[in-house]
Amino acid sequence: MRPRIDLARLRADVEAVNELGRIPGRPGINRVSFSPQDMAGRRWLIGRMQEAGLAARMDPVGNVFGRWEAGRGPAVLAGSHLDTVPDGGPFDGTLGVLAALEAVRAMKDAGIAPARPVEVVCTADEEGRFGGMLGSQAICGEAGAEWIARARDEAGKPLVQALAEAGLDPSPEATAGAARDLSDIACFLELHVEQGPVLERAAEHIGIAEAVTGVFNWTVTLRGEANHSGTTPMDLRRDAFRGMAEFGASIPAILARAGGPDARITVGQAALAPNFPHSVAGEARFSIIGRDARDEGMQAMAAACEAEIAKAAGAHGLDFEIDRQSWLPPTRLDAGLADRLEALSRAAGFATRRMPSGAGHDAQTFARHVPAGLIFVPSVRGISHAPEEWTEWEDIARGAQLLADAVAALAG
Amino acid sequence: MRPRIDLARLRADVEAVNELGRIPGRPGINRVSFSPQDMAGRRWLIGRMQEAGLAARMDPVGNVFGRWEAGRGPAVLAGSHLDTVPDGGPFDGTLGVLAALEAVRAMKDAGIAPARPVEVVCTADEEGRFGGMLGSQAICGEAGAEWIARARDEAGKPLVQALAEAGLDPSPEATAGAARDLSDIACFLELHVEQGPVLERAAEHIGIAEAVTGVFNWTVTLRGEANHSGTTPMDLRRDAFRGMAEFGASIPAILARAGGPDARITVGQAALAPNFPHSVAGEARFSIIGRDARDEGMQAMAAACEAEIAKAAGAHGLDFEIDRQSWLPPTRLDAGLADRLEALSRAAGFATRRMPSGAGHDAQTFARHVPAGLIFVPSVRGISHAPEEWTEWEDIARGAQLLADAVAALAG
């Protein structure tokens, strides 16, 4: 039997949990990690899991599991997260958790008796209030006691205090218990909204992620000399704006040299000093976010960026400084699992493409330890992390059906 | 007889008036227009003029004149201004006023009996607290009652209130009296620090300005779409930073096309929105200050800027808007007078160059009505409008001597 998802049931769940994310006066969905709304969502989920006949529990860092104790051997894990950014959208994370629950219900409705356990998981703090993917890292043994003791949010609140206020036990003995025996996990599956425009523009239904792109985050400072815009001839200037502009204009050359089709370079933040129309800029400071799905692409792109910065600085007599704030290497997702997801998607008649994930997801944490698969459904206008985030229900139906098909196939 | 300036006497005057510009806790010279310090400086000047035997007076907008009633016919006017920007330097404006006074004293010391009257002038609000060159515009009949009634400073204080607080009569009947009979002015001479690096780099003593460059002041807004830096492929972006950068990189092409050797383009102010490293910039807003000594150069440069903005916007799917805030055409200074100043400078043995003035000066107001000449002395490192503004005393001696030679020659 093939499991058939019930879109009305899934939709009712999405709408119900998002009522727990409303805050008067805030426009979007607000279930920021460990907030009362987030914890209410997790408790509500435990109730829905129990209704579905699952053994539900919350671990010491807030991860929720609903286990279908069936067959034997390691479990098929499927899910995502219920926490949101402030004023987030209705689907980010939420869809992956509730579609996994719906997959289990659809399997049960179809009378499927899986050959191995199936678990629905809702991870804690995927959005990174305390640094990034706390829940999946804790499950995978990557968030040790020291990390947990040190983590603080932007307002300076310690994670251990937020855990305690959420009714959890932040003691090292307790949080250490969040680490799962990974030999008990056969694989991890995540359904997520794309958060980008690729599927919508191509009018495709399903994206199968092959990798989560790596990302480096630099802040570049170019230093020249502030001067009068009228009395300083062009050839006697050390104009930091000109250096920044020439770096920006070199982005196509960097991409051509670094070569990866998924390479992305973004300058999203920039500031001049003294930042006055009549003054040649003495300083320009700007961000560079570089992304690529391949390690060698990341390396080549970083080298090309540095060369172009040096060239632009040299052309204008500028000193430069690169603050290399972070370097996260790309994560390959399991190729065999991606092949299997793609075959299932095509068998279901869905227009399907393989693609990288430009954003980070729990699947990339799990991928370091177990085979992990990541399924995308289209995002209207590519908008996410905003109240306007939307995915059409027919697209959700296709994604949830594929997840159910995949869980059934992998647990079968 | 040739007048011989007394550098020690001039230096003592500069140092004395700058004591009237000190404000505890502020680093530079502070005689902002119509401040108590500015008015004290003007009253001090009247005293010095009287000591020199001049008929001194302050007009209703604060201009100070010291007239040497000699010979007959229209007067030779020489001077500059005593007001400063906040935390300004010791010489800007001040030097031109006190060197003109020293020229008169040197002529008297030399027993010169001029064929026509000589007047030392100290203009009011040259720095533009109320919009720009109030004093010289009032003298030349360009600042009418309506202009004076409307003018406000950045804090919103009306000019008429500032005039009244400074002890002046702001009534239209009074201020109208500041307009001079221009047939009584033979010419205007101004000595000023260069405020740029050209003379210092060339190791030259004297610059003779041929024109004051025109200037246009635009604010450009490029509008694209803010997107996630990871999930938005390069070819689906409408990246406003990229448009701004490509305009910036096109500055050499604009200058090559517009052609004038004195053309200058400055982007000194820039801002992105949302200005977040992980977001493609949905908007970029930046200033363009364009300058040229020739009208046709201004026009060509503006057209080339607009073409390059349109090209950069088109390449990235951006909308653009140009707010043309101001357009001041170039002002030619009197060529015959410049020739005469150059000949006097070379005769004195000074290394001399003709050059445009990139900054605005009272000479450009007068130049619209009477022959006007503008003499530059080197600025150390080109710094001006800052406490670090400096000109070596030997350079001041040469500039003041040339001014004295010129006043004597023109009044002779």
Side-chain angles (χ1 to χ4, degrees), chain A residues 195 230-231 237 264 266 270 275, chain B residues 195 230-231 237 264 266 270 275:
Chain A
Q195 306 182 274
T231 58
R237 296 181 174 200
R264 281 160 204 171
T266 305
N275 202 36
Chain B
Q195 307 183 272
T231 58
R237 296 181 175 199
R264 281 160 204 172
T266 306
N275 202 36

Side-chain angles (χ1 to χ4, degrees), chain B residues 126-157:
Chain B
E126 191 270 352
E127 293 294 358
R129 175 179 169 193
F130 291 97
M133 300 195 195
L134 168 65
S136 54
Q137 290 201 72
I139 292 168
C140 294
E142 294 184 0
E146 201 182 304
W147 189 98
I148 287 172
R150 216 176 40 228
R152 288 168 186 269
D153 70 7
E154 275 198 353
K157 179 180 279 200

Side-chain angles (χ1 to χ4, degrees), chain B residues 9-10 27 95 150 156 242 257 314 345 361 363 373 394 398:
Chain B
R9 185 166 56 185
L10 173 56
L95 176 63
R150 216 176 40 228
R242 297 278 306 278
R257 210 183 313 170
S345 185
H361 295 290
E394 58 265 41
R398 281 183 279 261

Side-chain angles (χ1 to χ4, degrees), chain A residues 315-409:
Chain A
H316 294 279
L318 309 173
D319 298 319
F320 70 93
E321 195 180 292
I322 301 174
D323 179 13
R324 293 169 175 80
Q325 287 154 285
S326 64
W327 181 282
L328 296 174
T331 305
R332 300 295 311 173
L333 299 180
D334 190 81
L337 192 46
D339 288 344
R340 195 143 178 202
L341 291 171
E342 184 177 356
L344 286 166
S345 184
R346 294 195 185 281
F350 305 151
T352 306
R353 78 153 59 194
R354 299 282 273 260
M355 62 192 292
S357 171
H361 295 291
D362 282 321
Q364 88 196 67
T365 311
F366 284 104
R368 291 192 282 265
H369 305 278
V370 299
L374 178 58
I375 301 164
F376 287 135
V377 287
S379 288
V380 174
R381 292 169 50 216
I383 298 170
S384 185
H385 283 190
E388 298 75 26
E389 175 189 275
W390 191 251
T391 293
E392 301 297 349
W393 288 107
E394 55 265 42
D395 284 318
I396 286 176
R398 282 183 277 262
Q401 183 60 51
L402 175 58
L403 183 68
D405 289 345
V407 172

Side-chain angles (χ1 to χ4, degrees), chain A residues 12-86:
Chain A
D13 278 352
V14 170
E15 290 172 352
V17 77
N18 283 340
E19 285 311 308
L20 301 174
R22 310 271 178 213
I23 297 177
R26 300 299 298 258
I29 310 298
N30 287 278
R31 285 191 304 275
V32 172
S33 305
F34 307 119
S35 66
Q37 292 79 12
D38 179 41
M39 296 310 291
R42 290 168 193 280
R43 286 190 299 269
W44 171 92
L45 176 65
I46 288 175
R48 303 303 292 154
M49 287 170 161
Q50 288 168 337
E51 281 174 24
L54 304 180
R57 66 183 178 91
M58 191 183 297
D59 78 7
V61 300
N63 292 309
V64 171
F65 298 95
R67 185 169 172 106
W68 183 1
E69 198 60 68
R72 60 200 189 103
V76 171
L77 202 62
S80 189
H81 60 98
L82 279 177
D83 63 303
T84 70
V85 296

